[in-house]
Amino acid sequence: MQMGKARVAARIHDLNTQCKEGLAKMAHVKLQTPMSQKLSAGMVCFEVDGLTPEETVTRLKNLGIVASTTPPYKYTYPRVAPSLWNTPAEVDAVMQAIHSLG
């Protein structure tokens, strides 16, 4: 409450933008979440070449990264969710882990 809603929202958007930009630079990753902050907020969905969503989540878990899959609609994707409690360094660590999957 001390931070205020606007600062909380800005921080979450900043961390998720950092994540999306990092994933977009990886040749073996296809970013599924739109880059626009107007179209996304707290979750980032992506695909890793050659891995199922479940394999991606399991491999990240083995690297100490918490990830999940989207609900089983027509397409399922792995996803991460940088939040208020995360730091930019932690988002970098997630990017390094995902990069290592390639």
Side-chain angles (χ1 to χ4, degrees), residues 17-38:
T17 296
Q18 176 187 348
C19 183
K20 292 184 285 187
E21 288 174 351
L23 291 173
K25 293 177 184 176
M26 296 182 204
H28 68 292
V29 172
K30 182 175 181 186
L31 180 65
Q32 291 295 333
T33 299
M35 286 296 254
S36 171
Q37 289 186 3
K38 291 180 181 182

Side-chain angles (χ1 to χ4, degrees), residues 11-89:
R11 178 160 175 85
I12 291 169
H13 277 294
D14 288 348
L15 292 172
N16 279 271
T17 296
Q18 176 187 348
C19 183
K20 292 184 285 187
E21 288 174 351
L23 291 173
K25 293 177 184 176
M26 296 182 204
H28 68 292
V29 172
K30 182 175 181 186
L31 180 65
Q32 291 295 333
T33 299
M35 286 296 254
S36 171
Q37 289 186 3
K38 291 180 181 182
L39 300 175
S40 70
M43 285 190 208
V44 178
C45 299
F46 59 96
E47 296 176 84
V48 176
D49 289 346
L51 297 177
T52 67
E54 294 79 11
E55 290 170 331
T56 300
V57 169
T58 298
R59 289 189 185 189
L60 289 173
K61 180 180 178 184
N62 292 337
L63 295 170
I65 305 298
V66 176
S68 63
T69 58
T70 57
Y73 300 128
K74 184 175 181 180
Y75 301 103
T76 300
Y77 301 107
R79 62 186 177 185
V80 293
S83 71
L84 177 64
W85 310 114
N86 294 116
T87 66

